[in-house]
Amino acid sequence: MVVICSSNMVGGAMKSSQPVQCVFVRLSVLCLLLCPSVLPQRNDRPNFLLFMVDDLGYGDVGCFGNDSIRTPNIDRIASEGAKLTHHLAAEAMCTPSRAAFLTGRYPIRSGMGANHGLRFLPTIANTGGLPANETTFATLLKQAGYATALIGKWHLGLHCASGGSLCHHPNNHGFDYFYGTPITNFRECGEDGESVYYMTSVYRRYKQVCWAYLVGAASLLLIKFLGKMHVRWMTLLSLLTFCTLVMAFPEVFVIMLRPWNCVLMENEKVAEQPYSLKDLTPNLVNKSLKFIDDNADMPFFLYHSFLKVHTALFTTKEFEGRSRHGRYGDNVEEMDWAVGRILDAIEKKGLSHNTFVYLTSDNGGHVEEIRDGQREGGHNGILRGGKGMAGWDGGIRMPTVLRWPKDVRPGTVVDEPTSQMDVFPTVLRLAQLKTPGNRVIDGRDLMPLLTESKNVTDHRFFVHYCGSVIHAARYRPPTGESVWKAHYTTPNWDPGTEGCYDAFLCDCRGDYVTHHDPPLLFDVTKDPSERSPITPESEPKFAEIISTIDKGVKDHMSSVEQVENQFSLRNILWRPWLQPCCGHLPFCSCANNA
Ligand SMILES: *[C@@H]1O[C@H](CO)[C@@H](O)[C@H](O)[C@H]1NC(C)=O
Ligand SMILES: *[C@@H]1O[C@H](CO)[C@@H](O)[C@H](O)[C@H]1NC(C)=O
Ligand SMILES: *[C@@H]1O[C@H](CO)[C@@H](O)[C@H](O)[C@H]1NC(C)=O
Ligand SMILES: *[C@@H]1O[C@H](CO)[C@@H](O)[C@H](O)[C@H]1NC(C)=O
């Protein structure tokens, strides 16, 4: 016992003070006998270093089978720890996926499931976001004395009331320090003059409607002049005004997207607007290194959330043209370099043995992201579909690695289905904290699978939401090898393709999807690419499997409470007075001064 006690302290803050150590040894022995629950001491608590990559695909990483892209640092995490080959995001889109990751709950529970086509928060100056009464694991770690920081992308809102308040801000969701963008990187944030694509595609549909109005109005005008029909001037005028407004409004947004939304903040202050992408990767790395440096003596949680490898693509000079896969590949390799820099810093501080490292992506590679014939989105390997397609595994099965030297054997591979929501209870358990009991937590502790003390996941069902509708569900029976997946609804791909190229992102409902009854069924263990649907003829238990999955989905649905939708029109409406702006609206601009 004495040996355990003193070795506990060697790595900790007490190592240089002999007498204190002796007292502690005695206290610890006493403690081991009398009060086991009080242990361990503060300095034993693990650090957490979590990386979130934006839009990285399953096939973009060396250890996930890519033999021509170089990701040595990610591969090293896997070889020194574990690779999770069946790790699922809760949605195929950034905002809901990130909400689920931080709360351990399906996005629908926090109102983060959109009931229309826009599934990410479109501006910083709206009132939608992660509700104040949702608890992130950052908040729980912070309450327990951890130093916490978010460096990089947030995308879970800023203000929740029209009058301001910053209630969705990372500082109010458990992060002591925030440096990064409260929203996301948009293609329009690039500095190459390339713009107006991402949001335009969202508005394209509405624009078509308006063109129809305009043509209608013009025809009426013509008819009036030809004197063939009596048309009131007021009717014409109001029609024209309406059309101009509806058309101009999105245009203004598209033009103002960069100055308004490409913003870096340091805590509550704007640090750079619009941001320059040129040195952004080393800039964010520097912030993370400083945080580690400042907090090496206490337990910390660093969440390094890349703006990469989302478009606009950007790298420093050193990474231009380095990969064999164009600008996208350069971006992946620079991201891996950044991971390596931060891991080195942990190593130099002697903290590797006590730091839980995890890396994943918020959703799959964006297959429709093509510019001038060059793919600028990720590659989802053998998986079908991608970002935005909530049911297909290309959208939600994420390349994920982790390292936890205390318990996880190097080279561990977990093929069982797991979820990003599992990080919530896993982190809390490692930090010896209680999981909140006053709400449904959908995540399950990963440790039994990681330590191979269990070989079947505790999750029986996973539901796969597209906004607020369930597109598919996955069922892992407690025995056997199969993992079944039923697609109730699939997006309508453009003919001859496996993507929604015309719309840029697949939609969840209406004319944009096909419903399946009976559902399309796959065994994703045997057929991870979801190419050969199982039929009642090929699988005698077909009906039984489907009815089991139906029941799982029903049970899940009955556990979902009605909450305010964070994507309601009211919540996504842009409000000029909520716009973070350095300078004078609408001309927001300041150089980096952080
Ligand atoms: C590796 O990744 C690149 C970049 O996404 C992709 O173009 C390529 O097809 C991938 N290679 C394999 C073997 O998956
Ligand atoms: C990052 O820090 C290094 C070392 O302190 C410095 O040389 C470099 O200029 C910094 N880069 C950025 C982009 O801040
Ligand atoms: C899990 O382990 C048990 C006992 O070690 C074994 O019987 C079973 O086949 C394993 N299941 C899987 C899915 O590997
Ligand atoms: C948060 O507040 C809303 C509105 O009062 C409520 O419906 C919801 O259940 C609350 N969520 C939690 C996790 O307490």
Side-chain angles (χ1 to χ4, degrees):
M1 272 188 270
V2 174
V3 174
I4 292 169
C5 277
S6 52
S7 76
N8 271 353
M9 269 169 293
V10 170
M14 299 295 170
K15 59 185 164 220
S16 55
S17 50
Q18 263 314 108
V20 177
Q21 183 168 334
C22 289
V23 172
F24 258 83
V25 168
R26 271 183 223 127
L27 275 180
S28 300
V29 170
L30 206 70
C31 229
L32 276 175
L33 295 173
L34 300 176
C35 48
S37 62
V38 175
L39 287 175
Q41 281 95 30
R42 179 182 167 71
N43 52 24
D44 282 329
R45 289 193 290 171
N47 305 305
F48 299 98
L49 168 58
L50 310 187
F51 294 101
M52 179 64 79
V53 192
D54 200 356
D55 288 7
L56 182 70
Y58 198 82
D60 284 333
V61 176
C63 63
F64 281 81
N66 197 316
D67 52 12
S68 53
I69 208 154
R70 284 163 299 187
T71 56
N73 294 295
I74 298 177
D75 300 349
R76 185 159 66 97
I77 300 174
S79 66
E80 294 173 357
K83 178 164 85 166
L84 278 64
T85 65
H86 200 149
H87 194 60
L88 302 162
E91 238 271 41
M93 194 65 76
C94 39
T95 298
S97 163
R98 287 159 190 263
F101 173 65
L102 286 174
T103 60
R105 289 150 60 77
Y106 281 109
I108 194 86
R109 299 196 196 278
S110 51
M112 291 298 231
N115 44 20
H116 49 72
L118 203 60
R119 285 185 275 158
F120 57 90
L121 295 171
T123 78
I124 330 182
N126 51 236
T127 55
L130 190 63
N133 66 353
E134 287 294 328
T135 306
T136 67
F137 55 86
T139 297
L140 297 170
L141 291 173
K142 180 180 153 84
Q143 281 168 3
Y146 271 74
T148 57
L150 164 61
I151 309 293
K153 168 172 166 173
W154 173 239
H155 213 176
L156 294 174
L158 212 50
H159 296 287
C160 62
S162 286
S165 80
L166 291 166
C167 96
H168 299 312
H169 188 282
N171 287 163
N172 290 323
H173 272 302
F175 295 98
D176 296 324
Y177 181 70
F178 168 57
Y179 184 90
T181 181
I183 186 162
T184 182
N185 190 19
F186 288 98
R187 196 187 249 228
E188 286 81 354
C189 298
E191 284 149 293
D192 50 1
E194 158 78 14
S195 70
V196 189
Y197 194 86
Y198 201 96
M199 291 300 256
T200 328
S201 65
V202 176
Y203 288 118
R204 198 185 298 165
R205 272 178 233 153
Y206 307 108
K207 275 186 137 175
Q208 281 165 358
V209 173
C210 243
W211 274 115
Y213 270 115
L214 266 187
V215 171
S219 326
L220 282 178
L221 208 59
L222 197 68
I223 291 168
K224 186 169 176 74
F225 276 118
L226 294 177
K228 292 270 192 307
M229 218 172 96
H230 179 73
V231 184
R232 310 252 298 274
W233 277 111
M234 275 314 285
T235 314
L236 270 180
L237 265 179
S238 45
L239 204 58
L240 281 172
T241 315
F242 175 77
C243 283
T244 316
L245 275 180
V246 175
M247 298 236 340
F249 199 60
E251 279 318 327
V252 168
F253 264 98
V254 168
I255 293 163
M256 296 316 282
L257 203 150
R258 182 159 185 257
W260 287 349
N261 284 309
C262 306
V263 177
L264 287 183
M265 291 176 87
E266 181 168 42
N267 294 322
E268 298 179 355
K269 279 224 251 343
V270 172
E272 189 180 0
Q273 185 175 17
Y275 53 67
S276 155
L277 289 168
K278 196 163 54 74
D279 285 333
L280 192 54
T281 308
N283 183 9
L284 295 181
V285 166
N286 280 4
K287 302 289 177 201
S288 280
L289 299 190
K290 177 157 191 322
F291 176 78
I292 293 168
D293 215 41
D294 291 348
N295 294 286
D297 293 333
M298 65 190 290
F300 64 79
F301 164 34
L302 171 58
Y303 181 29
H304 190 98
S305 169
F306 287 96
L307 277 75
K308 301 164 92 66
V309 287
H310 196 292
T311 51
L313 297 177
F314 60 96
T315 61
T316 53
K317 272 243 150 22
E318 291 79 67
F319 282 88
E320 270 172 28
R322 242 178 66 148
S323 78
R324 280 193 245 160
H325 297 288
R327 294 179 68 211
Y328 181 80
D330 297 347
N331 271 258
V332 173
E333 295 196 359
E334 191 188 50
M335 178 274 295
D336 182 82
W337 165 86
V339 170
R341 285 292 314 275
I342 298 170
L343 289 178
D344 286 349
I346 299 277
E347 184 72 45
K348 274 212 202 84
K349 293 270 171 206
L351 298 172
S352 292
H353 70 288
N354 196 32
T355 301
F356 178 92
V357 178
Y358 168 92
L359 180 143
T360 194
S361 170
D362 61 347
N363 52 245
H366 190 176
V367 297
E368 293 94 345
E369 181 59 276
I370 292 171
R371 186 170 126 185
D372 307 330
Q374 270 248 6
R375 277 186 72 149
E376 293 208 331
H379 175 68
N380 299 308
I382 59 165
L383 306 177
R384 204 167 188 194
K387 177 177 182 173
M389 304 175 212
W392 296 107
D393 270 11
I396 52 177
R397 192 159 161 176
M398 297 297 101
T400 306
V401 296
L402 66 78
R403 187 176 77 186
W404 175 234
K406 288 200 171 161
D407 293 315
V408 179
R409 184 179 56 77
T412 300
V413 177
V414 177
D415 292 324
E416 279 293 302
T418 52
S419 165
Q420 291 180 344
M421 295 182 286
D422 297 343
V423 171
F424 185 102
T426 308
V427 162
L428 293 184
R429 177 199 154 153
L430 290 175
Q432 315 231 350
L433 299 173
K434 278 217 186 72
T435 302
N438 61 352
R439 62 196 63 203
V440 178
I441 300 291
D442 296 295
R444 298 282 175 269
D445 187 1
L446 287 168
M447 288 319 285
L449 289 172
L450 287 169
T451 55
E452 297 167 316
S453 68
K454 269 195 188 163
N455 57 7
V456 176
T457 177
D458 280 341
H459 289 280
R460 278 295 77 85
F461 300 99
F462 299 81
V463 283
H464 303 303
Y465 275 95
C466 192
S468 58
V469 283
I470 293 173
H471 271 198
R474 188 177 315 243
Y475 165 45
R476 171 63 171 119
T479 57
E481 305 269 296
S482 296
V483 176
W484 305 103
K485 184 155 133 212
H487 291 260
Y488 297 97
T489 303
T490 53
N492 294 336
W493 288 329
D494 297 348
T497 73
E498 294 195 346
C500 304
Y501 291 89
D502 198 41
F504 194 54
L505 276 170
C506 291
D507 207 336
C508 302
R509 61 196 89 217
D511 294 341
Y512 303 100
V513 298
T514 301
H515 301 290
H516 304 276
D517 187 16
L520 285 180
L521 183 69
F522 297 95
D523 177 350
V524 290
T525 305
K526 285 208 195 87
D527 178 19
S529 308
E530 304 175 83
R531 294 277 158 199
S532 340
I534 286 161
T535 58
E537 292 75 46
S538 68
E539 173 56 58
K541 288 195 183 148
F542 184 89
E544 193 188 312
I545 295 165
I546 296 291
S547 77
T548 308
I549 299 178
D550 286 348
K551 171 139 193 333
V553 171
K554 278 215 191 74
D555 288 348
H556 162 78
M557 282 166 75
S558 64
S559 77
V560 175
E561 262 182 67
Q562 276 288 326
V563 294
E564 184 192 354
N565 196 296
Q566 297 297 321
F567 289 84
S568 65
L569 194 59
R570 192 172 72 83
N571 276 332
I572 60 171
L573 194 69
W574 178 77
R575 291 168 170 81
W577 58 92
L578 294 182
Q579 176 66 52
C581 182
C582 60
H584 295 287
L585 202 69
F587 307 105
C588 309
S589 166
C590 61
N592 197 341
N593 50 27

